[in-house]
């Protein structure tokens, strides 16, 4: 797991080259203009970045979760916001590949794997955040269609995408009443709200998705009625790993910027990096990132192996890596002094982007609940 072979190194290098060429040079401009770089996303598809863990017969790369977290770490060194959207797109693509019929797979996955079609994951609703099993968006059967009514909140890519993997209520209360639907973005009765004004993640749109009598074929359902909650949770295992990797990548970029800055910046007659107290700060930042990376790789390997503790390990890795990533980035800003607060240095953007990772894909408080339940159950 810890010694990469030639192929594994090549995968990481490809992702890093993409980040260095297309993401890093544009990240500050995209953030300032709130620009969603669809043209750049289209370039990611031919590299296999649109269907990383998807089967090859529909254009996927058939890579492991362990490969995926290494990819997202490298992508995030260029721009955590864009990398995180690619993660969300991959989650939606994987869910159709993993749970769809052959007809559904052939209809949707090739275009999503190439990123000619952009996907979004739609679970969260207004007032229903962490309590996902309480969602209220209704899908009422009408012959061979479902009629959808309700609203989804905080949907990444909404308004610029082509397809949603959406969780809706087809039955009674609780998780067993939830189903998963493939919902085309151009479905009549589906509209989106204004782009949310956010602290970070400005290089991807976040909007409400409003459903007013939207008609979706029953043939677009993933699995059976009532399977939606388990499909959603299984998708989130991979999503949590990828967003953890995005935090590590963004924080690593912040740490690398800090080492360069302290080497070049002089005070009191010597480079700042010669100050032992600052060296200790760097040492702690590097150690904490390496610990987070190690736990993340362990969790990814468990998910690949379908290990019994995969859910708790994914939750541990998500909680630890996103907390660590934010703290390291915040320390990096501090070590830049006043310059860290300036947009042009890129530190404040990384801090803003990484902050939301502690909230999405299940808040870190919920991750603690997941881990605690696994410990109590094992006791």
């Amino acid at each position: 797991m810890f010694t990469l072979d030639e192929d594994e190194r090549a995968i990481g290098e490809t992702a890093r080259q993409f980040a260095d060429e297309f993401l890093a040079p544009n990240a500050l401009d995209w953030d300032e203009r709130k620009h969603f770089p669809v043209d750049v996303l289209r370039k990611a598809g031919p590299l296999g970045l649109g269907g990383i863990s998807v089967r090859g017969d529909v254009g996927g790369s058939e890579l492991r979760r362990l490969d995926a977290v290494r990819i997202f770490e490298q992508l995030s060194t260029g721009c955590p916001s864009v990398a995180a959207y690619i993660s969300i797109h991959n989650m939606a693509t994987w869910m159709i590949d993993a749970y769809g019929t052959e007809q559904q797979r052939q209809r949707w996955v090739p275009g999503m794997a190439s990123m000619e079609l952009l996907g979004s994951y739609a679970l969260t609703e207004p007032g229903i955040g962490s309590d996902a099993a309480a969602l209220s968006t209704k899908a009422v059967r009408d012959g061979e269609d479902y009629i959808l009514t309700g609203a989804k909140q905080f949907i990444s890519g909404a308004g610029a995408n082509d397809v949603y993997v959406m969780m809706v209520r087809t039955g009674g209360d609780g998780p067993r009443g939830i189903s998963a639907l493939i919902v085309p973005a151009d479905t009549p009765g589906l509209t989106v709200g204004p782009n949310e004004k956010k602290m970070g993640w400005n290089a991807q749109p976040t909007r409400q998705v409003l459903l007013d009598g939207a008609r979706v074929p029953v043939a677009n359902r993933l699995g059976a009625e009532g399977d939606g909650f388990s499909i959603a949770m299984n998708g989130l295992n991979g999503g949590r790993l990828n967003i953890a990797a995005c935090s590590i990548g963004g924080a690593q970029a912040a740490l690398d910027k800090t080492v360069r800055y302290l080497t070049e910046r002089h005070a009191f007659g010597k480079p700042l990096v010669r100050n032992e107290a600052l060296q200790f700060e760097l040492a702690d930042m590097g150690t904490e990132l390496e610990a987070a990376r190690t736990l993340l790789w362990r969790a990814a390997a468990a998910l690949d192996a379908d290990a019994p503790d995969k859910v708790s390990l994914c939750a541990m890795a998500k909680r630890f890596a996103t907390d660590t990533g934010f703290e390291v980035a915040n320390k990096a800003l501090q070590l830049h002094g006043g310059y860290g607060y300036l947009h042009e240095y890129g530190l404040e953007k990384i801090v803003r982007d990484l902050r939301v990772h502690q909230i999405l894909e299940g808040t870190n408080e919920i991750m603690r609940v997941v881990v605690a339940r696994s410990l109590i159950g094992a006791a």
Side-chain angles (χ1 to χ4, degrees):
M1 185 189 303
F2 300 108
T3 302
L4 305 188
D5 62 27
E6 185 176 343
D7 289 341
E8 290 168 334
R9 287 195 299 273
I11 289 168
E13 288 168 2
T14 298
R16 184 55 180 259
Q17 289 168 2
F18 182 84
D20 289 347
E21 181 176 358
F22 295 109
L23 304 186
N26 300 298
L28 292 178
D29 175 60
W30 293 339
D31 175 75
E32 190 169 19
R33 293 192 293 119
K34 296 179 173 55
H35 173 68
F36 188 45
V38 172
D39 57 331
V40 172
L41 295 176
R42 300 276 192 253
K43 298 178 189 295
L47 297 178
L49 299 178
I52 294 171
S53 299
V54 168
R55 285 172 279 179
D57 66 310
V58 283
S61 299
E62 290 193 282
L63 296 178
R64 303 167 299 171
R65 297 294 185 175
L66 188 54
D67 299 310
V69 297
R70 291 167 179 157
I71 288 170
F72 283 107
E73 177 178 348
Q74 297 305 319
L75 290 177
S76 291
T77 62
C79 179
S81 176
V82 173
Y85 173 74
I86 295 175
S87 168
I88 293 164
H89 170 87
N90 267 267
M91 181 164 61
T93 306
W94 175 83
M95 292 167 76
I96 298 174
D97 181 53
Y99 295 101
T101 64
E102 192 58 29
Q103 183 178 11
Q104 290 168 342
R105 293 178 68 244
Q106 296 295 335
R107 166 67 180 86
W108 294 104
V109 180
M112 296 174 75
S114 70
M115 299 198 80
E116 289 301 313
L117 299 177
L118 298 181
S120 296
Y121 176 72
L123 173 64
T124 304
E125 297 182 0
I128 305 294
S130 297
D131 189 9
L135 67 83
S136 60
T137 296
K138 290 184 179 180
V140 177
R141 185 76 178 257
D142 180 29
E144 293 304 310
D145 295 325
Y146 288 110
I147 308 300
L148 276 57
T149 305
K152 294 294 180 179
Q153 183 77 37
F154 304 131
I155 306 305
S156 294
N161 64 341
D162 301 282
V163 59
Y164 300 91
V165 175
M166 186 176 295
M167 304 304 143
V168 296
R169 187 162 299 284
T170 54
D173 294 341
R176 294 184 180 179
I178 296 172
S179 299
L181 295 180
I182 304 168
V183 181
D186 60 359
T187 299
L190 185 156
T191 57
V192 298
N195 194 7
E196 302 284 4
K197 296 178 181 179
K198 308 187 295 288
M199 175 180 176
W201 266 28
N202 289 321
Q204 57 164 292
T206 303
R207 293 183 170 92
Q208 274 194 333
V209 176
L210 307 171
L211 302 151
D212 183 11
R215 184 176 291 268
V216 176
V218 172
N220 283 24
R221 189 183 65 223
L222 293 175
E225 283 199 357
D227 287 350
F229 189 77
S230 63
I231 291 173
M233 294 303 105
N234 287 337
L236 281 172
N237 285 330
R240 287 166 180 166
L241 294 181
N242 291 344
I243 211 66
C246 289
S247 286
I248 292 173
Q252 186 66 58
L255 177 56
D256 293 343
K257 286 176 182 285
T258 304
V259 171
R260 290 193 297 269
Y261 175 78
L262 295 180
T263 301
E264 296 166 359
R265 174 84 168 165
H266 285 65
F268 307 106
K270 63 182 180 181
L272 284 175
V273 79
R274 297 271 299 277
N275 184 303
E276 192 172 66
L278 300 183
Q279 290 178 6
F280 286 177
E281 286 277 16
L282 295 176
D284 285 346
M285 292 159 71
T287 300
E288 290 156 10
L289 273 184
E290 190 59 34
R293 184 179 292 113
T294 300
L295 177 57
L296 177 60
W297 289 13
R298 163 84 170 90
L303 188 56
D304 282 327
D306 197 25
D309 56 353
K310 64 183 181 182
V311 175
S312 62
L313 281 169
C314 288
M316 288 179 186
K318 192 272 179 180
R319 199 287 297 168
F320 188 72
T322 57
D323 282 350
T324 298
F326 177 76
E327 291 302 325
V328 167
N330 198 37
K331 287 179 182 178
L333 188 155
Q334 181 72 20
L335 290 173
H336 276 72
Y339 293 105
Y341 207 62
L342 300 181
H343 184 72
E344 66 189 274
Y345 280 75
L347 271 299
E348 59 87 30
K349 176 192 178 298
I350 295 174
V351 171
R352 288 187 289 105
D353 281 349
L354 296 195
R355 181 60 183 87
V356 75
H357 296 187
Q358 296 168 288
I359 298 171
L360 55 85
E361 312 289 37
T363 67
N364 284 2
E365 290 74 18
I366 292 297
M367 296 304 96
R368 290 177 172 89
V369 171
V370 172
V371 173
R373 285 175 177 170
S374 73
L375 295 174
I376 294 167

